[in-house]
Every structure is written in structure tokens, then in C-alpha cells.
Amino acid sequence: MALIRRRKPNEPSKTSVQREEEEEEEDNSKNKYPKKSYKKSKPKWSCLDNCCWFVGCICVTWWVLLFLYNVMPASFPQYVTEAITGPMPDPPGVKLRKEGLKAKHPVVFVPGIVTGGLELWEGHQCADGLFRKRLWGGAFGEVYRRPLCWVEHMSLDNETGLDPPGIRVRPVCGLVAADYFAPGYFVWAVLIANLARIGYEEKTMYMASYDWRLSFQNTEVRDQTLSRIKSNIELMVATNGGNKAVIIPHSMGALYFLHFMKWVEAPAPMGGGGGPDWCAKHIKAVMNIGGPFLGVPKAVSGLFSAEAKDIAVARAIAPGVLDKDLFGFQTMQHIMRMSRTWDSTMSMIPKGGATIWGDLDWSPEEGYVPGKRKQKNADTQKASQDGLESNISQIKRTNYGRIISFGKDVAEALSSDIERIDFRDAVKGQSVANTSCRDVWTEYHDMGFGGIKAVAEYKVYTAGSILDLLHFVAPKMMERGSAHFSYGIADDLDNPKYQHYKYWSNPLETKLPNAPEMEIFSLYGVGIPTERSYVYKLSPSAECAIPFQIDSSADEQYEDSCLKGGVYTVDGDETVPVLSSGFMCAKGWRGKTRFNPSGSQMFIREYDHSPPTNLLEGRGTQSGAHVDIMGNFALIEDIMRVAAGATGEELGGDQVYSDIFKWSEKIHLQL
């Protein structure tokens, strides 16, 4: 029987809740077996959960920032920027409209590699619901939803370089094909908007979109793209009072249009049958933006190991992540398998061999010191070239001609001290492929350990041996590429063999059209470290991963070093070195040469890189970076003035900040 406790007269009354608590305590104290409290065990947190949350946070943050950017007043970023840096200049379109400039010459945009949108017209079952949806460009949603399906549909046939069976991916048409690469990331949009301010519209602007994965001639074979470009230019000239077109290629588009100019005048069936004076009749100027005329070393590292400086940096930050079999998806191997089916990438392998790019002991950029570039204008481009010579002896010599070196010690060693074993006749040994590779095919699986070891033991590769290296490690890819591209220097341009289309995109093995009034511009950014050569090492997990990778631990500690994260850099626009963008207009085509027999006039216009002053300025209006330069106000103004009727001389002639003329003089090329 429970005891009843009486309250003392002076004791304050208790609430019912307090009384219940006291009674419960008394019951528990009398109970021989008190109740046990059971706690729920916390679920284990897996690596998969971490990755999903990480990706989710990035996506949510990106979309929130994008939403805030879109809902804020259009004048807000400008207001904040002007508060920090002072009044901003008028956009080129506003400025030139005030000057009275109006649309005159029709303009044709030729996009480069990866910047043009691609959409699905036919696919396999995994791609249901994606008809005419973008696989490349836009939001890239399918990369996250079904990555293996996306890789399958973005790859071309490894034997033909054309569509795989049951798949049709085609270029997007119209100005929307390449105005934006992704939401908020412009490519041609800023230039188009400024041209519209002086009267341009869709009937006077044409985006020559093409499937940038294909070899240049195959864009005509499969899609008749070259014929469409020819017809559109003819129509635009005819409907604009006979005013010739201004062509504006960007990046690889410069090589594509170089191929077009030979194709359009060549007789059918290989060419377009336009006759030897077609370019003279239809083209006023070709204004190449960031054109990789002589190739880019970045293409070598991409084809050799599916990486470049950015990937090497990512590996240094998170070692091993890119090579892990994450969710059963071996990222780098799939990227390599896919990109090695894109024949267009082989158009950007360095051209001209050791004559242009140097050898074990020499390169044109020898003595380059980052951050100490002297500005020069057109009147002083050949004067004061020795400003840096006194510093060269204090800086460790950089052997830029060694495009690939296995080890930092090899990159710096005297050539006489390097012991090399020729890889060309090596026997490819036991296959490295096994069941754990999940059927990710790369041609390294066919090489085996013997072939991989032979490549590393050769130790150093110059532009003269890079082609042999790529033929050894990727024979199927290079077999296709050799049918469409060439990388040498012509001895005799009148030799009938150079009438074949494989030579048309190599400026060292083809002639410019007979168009003496046509002007050619090379417009590009300078002042940004740009990949020139690499320090490699064998991958620690070569059994299933790509066996070679850039050695991100290779660094120099002294100030103004050219070596960072296993990559040697020179002056350029972050993608294309100055040598590749500028040499042909500085020397190879300048004046009447065997490469420019009609003497078309050449102009170099360099744009010194100046990064944005704050985040609200976006990618800046003075950028010299390879894609961001498309929003550079000075470049846009130059293009608009030419489109409105100005000549290169009226722009001010050459505008040079780099050592391109000095470096060009070091290259001994028969002209």
C-alpha cells in the first residue's frame, strides 16, 4: 500500500506535474527491475553519402547563385563595380553607334572545339526521351544522370571516325549553337549583342556550326557542312549589296576555316568547285581569335594521358580520386576512350617539328622570363629586343623543346647525359587489362607492361618524336588521323600531293588563296602562363589506370619559375602559346612568301590580359584568356570596326606586347 505524505502547513503547494515526477521516482526506487532505456543506433555514414552530399551542395550553391544573379537588377553589378573602380566604359556597340558606325559587311562566326552545341537525333535505349536534347552544351544534365550512356553517345566509331551504329548526334544550328556554352557562360553572345547595336541581325550574321568531333573533311562527307558554309556566304554577299564577308573563327575554327578556303576553291569531288578566285570575290577579312595555327602542346598531353595542367592540379589536391573506380565509373579512362575517337583533336598536334618547336637543346622561347615581358607597339616591335638578356644568366635554363620528359632531372639534364632506349621497335608485352577494369578499353591495354616500360625508358620527346610516340601508344587513333591531317613542312608546295585535303589545315604545307585584297588578322591574348612542355611519371596504379600522368610534384621554388605542378609555361592565352597563334602572321605569311604567294596583308593584334577587379565584373572586359577574350571590349571594337568597313591599317596596324617577332626570327624556315 502506497504511503500518503501530508504537506506541512508552511510548505508551498506543488503542481500536478511535480507530484507525478515524485511518484514515478518512488515507484522506480521500489521496483526491483527498473525499466531500461533503449537508444536508437545512428546509421553509418558511407563514402557514397559523402559524395552525394558534396555534389548536391555544389549543385544547390550553383543554382542559388545563378538564381540570385538572374533576379538582381541588371544595373546592380555595374553599380557595385563603378563604386569600387569608377565609371565603366561604354560597351563597344554603344560607343561605335555614337560614332555613327553601321552594319556593312556580313559576318560569319566559326566556333572552335567543344564550344558548339551538339544534340541527339537517334540513340540507343538508354537515351530514351533525349530526342533533340543537347548532349553537349547547355546544362549538361545527362552527364550526371546517365554518365556511361552519355559517353557512349558522345563517342565516334573507332574505326571510321563517323557515327557508331544506331547513334546520330548533330550540331545545333543558328546563333544559339555557340552563343553560350552553359547557362551564364558566354562564348559568342557578347560579340553578337554588340554587333546588334549597330544594326546587325540574323540575316547579316551566320554561325557556321559544325560537329567539332569530326575530322574537317568528314564534316562535309557526313553533313555537307562545308557546302552549307559556302552557300550561306554566297547568299549573304549577294543580299548585302555585294559587300564581302568578314569571317571570325575562334580557336580550332581557325584551322577549320583554313581547310575551308582550300576546299572551296578545289575542284569537285574533293573540293567545293568554287574556282581559284572564290575567296577574293567573297571574303574581305579573316579575323582569327586565338588560332592554334601550329598546334598546341596541350593536345599532346590530352591524347597521351587525357590530362592537362588543370587535371594535374586536381590530382595534387586530391591524390588518387580521379583514378578511383567511383560508382563503377573510371573517369579518366572513359574520357580517354571518348576523346580518342574525336579526330578533330589530332588537328592540333604541334606542326613543323623541331624547326618550329625546338629540340633537346634549343627552342625559340629560350630565355623567356614570366612576369617580365616588355610592352612594345608596332613602331618598336623590332627594337629593344635585348631587355631581358641580362636576366637570362640568373634564371635556370628551360628546355621547352622537350615537350615530354620522364622526370624533372631529365627535363633539366644536358642532352649528352641522357641515356635513352629507343621505343619504336619495342615488343609490346603482357596485356595490362584484367577483369577489374570493367571493360574500359584504351589502347594502353594492348601495349602491355613491355610497351609502357619502353615509352618511359626513352625518357624525353620533342616535336620531332611526338608523332612516333602517339603512333606507338594509340595506333588506331593515329591511323585515322594520318588520313586527315599532316604535321610537316612542305619542301615544294607545287608538288601535286599537297592538293590532298589532309594538308589543307596545316599552314606549313599549303598556300593561302590568291586574294591580294583579303586581310588576315591574328587576334589573341598574352600575359597568361600557357602550357608548353610537361614532366611525366609512371602512374603508381598502372595495372588498370592510365599508365602515365603529369608529375604534379615537379616544381621550382625560385621566383619567376616556369615550372609549376609538372608543367612548363610560356607566354600565351592559357591554351595557345604565342608562338602558335602569332608566327604565321609575324613571319610565315608576312609579305609575299611561298605560303602567301599573292601577298595578302597580315596583322597581329595582341590583347594584354587584365583580370576582372571583382566578382561582380564576371569574366572581365579586358581578359586575354582563350575563351574569356570573346568578351574583351578592345577585341570586340576591332572586329566591329572591320565589319563596318575599316582596314587593318586604319585600326593602327600591329599591336604587339609579346616577343613574337623576336622568337619568329629565331626560326629558320624557308620562305
Side-chain angles (χ1 to χ4, degrees):
M1 178 177 176
L3 295 176
I4 299 174
R5 181 175 176 268
R6 294 182 178 273
R7 180 172 60 89
K8 293 180 181 180
N10 60 347
E11 185 176 355
S13 61
K14 296 182 180 180
T15 64
S16 60
V17 174
Q18 289 174 323
R19 285 197 298 271
E20 288 177 3
E21 288 178 351
E22 287 180 358
E23 289 175 3
E24 185 178 350
E25 287 176 2
E26 289 176 5
D27 289 343
N28 286 339
S29 64
K30 294 179 179 181
N31 193 347
K32 189 175 180 180
Y33 301 103
K35 281 186 176 180
K36 293 183 180 179
S37 59
Y38 294 93
K39 294 183 179 179
K40 292 183 179 179
S41 59
K42 293 183 179 180
K44 291 184 178 179
W45 193 257
S46 67
C47 177
L48 178 62
D49 294 320
N50 281 326
C51 292
C52 290
W53 272 101
F54 179 69
V55 172
C57 288
I58 290 176
C59 292
V60 169
T61 304
W62 168 253
W63 286 113
V64 168
L65 291 174
L66 192 61
F67 171 76
L68 292 175
Y69 180 80
N70 285 320
V71 298
M72 76 169 62
S75 59
F76 182 73
Q78 182 177 348
Y79 172 79
V80 175
T81 300
E82 289 183 351
I84 298 172
T85 63
M88 291 182 66
D90 285 336
V94 174
K95 175 184 176 182
L96 298 183
R97 185 173 61 185
K98 289 178 180 177
E99 293 182 16
L101 267 67
K102 295 182 179 180
K104 181 177 180 181
H105 296 275
V107 296
V108 178
F109 310 118
V110 187
I113 193 169
V114 310
T115 54
L118 300 174
E119 60 187 18
L120 183 69
W121 281 80
E122 181 185 0
H124 294 160
Q125 186 175 359
C126 67
D128 284 348
L130 296 181
F131 176 68
R132 294 206 63 201
K133 298 286 182 65
R134 288 201 183 196
L135 293 186
W136 189 272
F140 285 94
E142 300 311 316
V143 179
Y144 312 110
R145 294 191 192 99
R146 28 191 160 185
L148 291 176
C149 183
W150 180 82
V151 167
E152 179 185 5
H153 285 75
M154 282 298 298
S155 300
L156 295 169
D157 187 275
N158 198 48
E159 301 292 337
T160 65
L162 296 169
D163 293 323
I167 294 176
R168 282 187 295 148
V169 175
R170 297 292 180 265
V172 177
C173 296
L175 296 178
V176 297
D179 55 352
Y180 287 91
F181 176 65
Y185 191 90
F186 70 81
V187 182
W188 294 91
V190 178
L191 177 57
I192 291 170
N194 278 279
L195 284 167
R197 290 182 181 272
I198 63 170
Y200 279 92
E201 51 190 282
E202 201 144 9
K203 68 180 181 182
T204 49
M205 293 188 288
Y206 169 60
M207 182 71 72
S209 58
Y210 59 98
D211 190 336
W212 44 262
R213 301 171 302 160
L214 300 173
S215 69
F216 302 157
Q217 192 69 7
N218 273 345
T219 63
E220 174 66 15
V221 171
R222 195 193 72 179
D223 300 334
Q224 294 75 54
T225 303
L226 299 174
S227 294
R228 294 172 191 272
I229 296 174
K230 175 177 180 284
S231 299
N232 275 283
I233 292 176
E234 290 172 345
L235 176 64
M236 294 172 77
V237 171
T239 56
N240 281 275
N243 290 317
K244 300 176 186 177
V246 172
I247 315 298
I248 311 170
H250 173 242
S251 190
M252 191 186 75
L255 300 178
Y256 186 68
F257 196 76
L258 191 63
H259 180 98
F260 170 84
M261 288 193 293
K262 294 300 292 184
W263 173 88
V264 74
E265 295 189 344
M270 188 181 294
D277 58 351
W278 191 94
C279 291
K281 289 180 178 179
H282 294 89
I283 300 176
K284 166 184 163 55
V286 183
M287 306 191 75
N288 302 287
I289 304 174
F293 290 109
L294 301 177
V296 288
K298 198 172 186 175
V300 175
S301 64
L303 293 171
F304 184 55
S305 61
E307 61 182 340
K309 180 173 68 175
D310 299 337
I311 300 295
V313 170
R315 274 205 176 100
I317 295 172
V321 171
L322 289 174
D323 302 310
K324 286 181 179 177
D325 183 9
L326 197 61
F327 316 132
F329 187 75
Q330 293 154 311
T331 310
M332 300 308 295
Q333 290 90 319
H334 280 285
I335 290 173
M336 171 174 280
R337 184 184 69 171
M338 178 177 66
S339 62
R340 280 191 176 182
T341 67
W342 298 346
D343 289 352
S344 62
T345 58
M346 288 177 277
S347 71
M348 293 184 289
I349 294 173
K351 304 174 178 69
T355 301
I356 300 294
W357 296 94
D359 54 25
L360 291 177
D361 299 310
W362 171 84
S363 67
E365 304 101 325
E366 195 172 58
Y368 167 70
V369 180
K372 297 187 178 180
R373 178 170 42 80
K374 296 182 68 179
Q375 293 193 6
K376 296 178 284 294
N377 56 34
D379 297 325
T380 61
Q381 64 193 15
K382 294 184 180 180
S384 303
Q385 298 285 349
D386 301 322
L388 299 177
E389 297 298 329
S390 60
N391 294 325
I392 293 175
S393 59
Q394 303 171 12
I395 303 294
K396 187 178 291 187
R397 178 174 176 173
T398 303
N399 300 303
Y400 289 117
R402 305 177 187 184
I403 295 179
I404 288 179
S405 302
F406 276 90
K408 180 184 171 186
D409 55 336
V410 174
E412 297 174 347
L414 296 173
S415 59
S416 57
D417 295 338
I418 302 175
E419 297 181 1
R420 306 160 77 189
I421 301 174
D422 201 334
F423 67 94
R424 294 172 181 86
D425 297 323
V427 177
K428 296 183 179 181
Q430 180 183 359
S431 175
V432 300
N434 58 40
T435 55
S436 67
C437 289
R438 300 181 187 270
D439 299 323
V440 179
W441 176 88
T442 67
E443 292 188 83
Y444 284 125
H445 295 164
D446 296 335
M447 286 180 58
F449 294 115
I452 291 168
K453 182 181 177 183
V455 168
E457 287 181 343
Y458 193 67
K459 294 184 179 178
V460 61
Y461 297 85
T462 67
S465 54
I466 281 295
L467 288 177
D468 291 334
L469 171 65
L470 293 176
H471 273 285
F472 187 79
V473 301
K476 287 186 178 181
M477 177 190 76
M478 291 302 292
E479 184 181 356
R480 293 194 322 272
S482 298
H484 290 276
F485 302 107
S486 183
Y487 311 98
I489 300 174
D491 294 324
D492 179 11
L493 285 168
D494 294 323
N495 189 319
K497 80 173 187 176
Y498 292 111
Q499 296 174 11
H500 192 274
Y501 60 75
K502 68 180 286 185
Y503 301 102
W504 291 349
S505 61
N506 181 358
L508 301 173
E509 293 184 301
T510 192
K511 298 178 184 178
L512 288 177
N514 183 21
E517 295 181 1
M518 181 179 73
E519 295 180 329
I520 296 182
F521 294 78
S522 191
L523 319 173
Y524 55 90
V526 294
I528 309 178
T530 303
E531 296 170 48
R532 179 62 166 84
S533 56
Y534 305 89
V535 176
Y536 267 85
K537 66 178 181 179
L538 283 172
S539 171
S541 55
E543 184 173 300
C544 207
I546 296 169
F548 311 110
Q549 61 182 231
I550 295 171
D551 185 359
S552 57
S553 66
D555 270 311
E556 292 287 4
Q557 301 302 320
Y558 61 84
E559 188 181 0
D560 293 331
S561 168
C562 295
L563 175 62
K564 284 184 173 59
V567 180
Y568 286 99
T569 57
V570 291
D571 198 4
D573 68 1
E574 202 170 30
T575 296
V576 184
V578 163
L579 188 67
S580 182
S581 294
F583 172 77
M584 292 309 296
C585 281
K587 184 173 182 178
W589 287 332
R590 186 154 291 227
K592 281 193 176 184
T593 69
R594 65 192 184 108
F595 305 109
N596 179 21
S598 69
S600 296
Q601 202 161 2
M602 302 292 140
F603 297 97
I604 291 179
R605 305 281 293 176
E606 294 182 344
Y607 304 88
D608 202 10
H609 175 68
S610 179
T613 55
N614 60 75
L615 290 175
L616 290 175
E617 198 179 335
R619 288 149 65 195
T621 59
Q622 300 178 61
S623 176
H626 188 64
V627 178
D628 294 355
I629 197 174
M630 303 294 281
N632 184 299
F633 278 9
L635 175 137
I636 292 172
E637 182 176 333
D638 285 347
I639 291 173
M640 293 180 69
R641 289 189 182 279
V642 172
T647 65
E649 291 293 349
E650 290 170 338
L651 289 186
D654 295 321
Q655 174 181 278
V656 179
Y657 298 94
S658 73
D659 286 322
I660 183 58
F661 285 99
K662 173 184 175 181
W663 294 340
S664 297
E665 287 303 313
K666 293 182 179 181
I667 295 174
H668 302 294
L669 179 68
Q670 178 191 347
L671 299 175

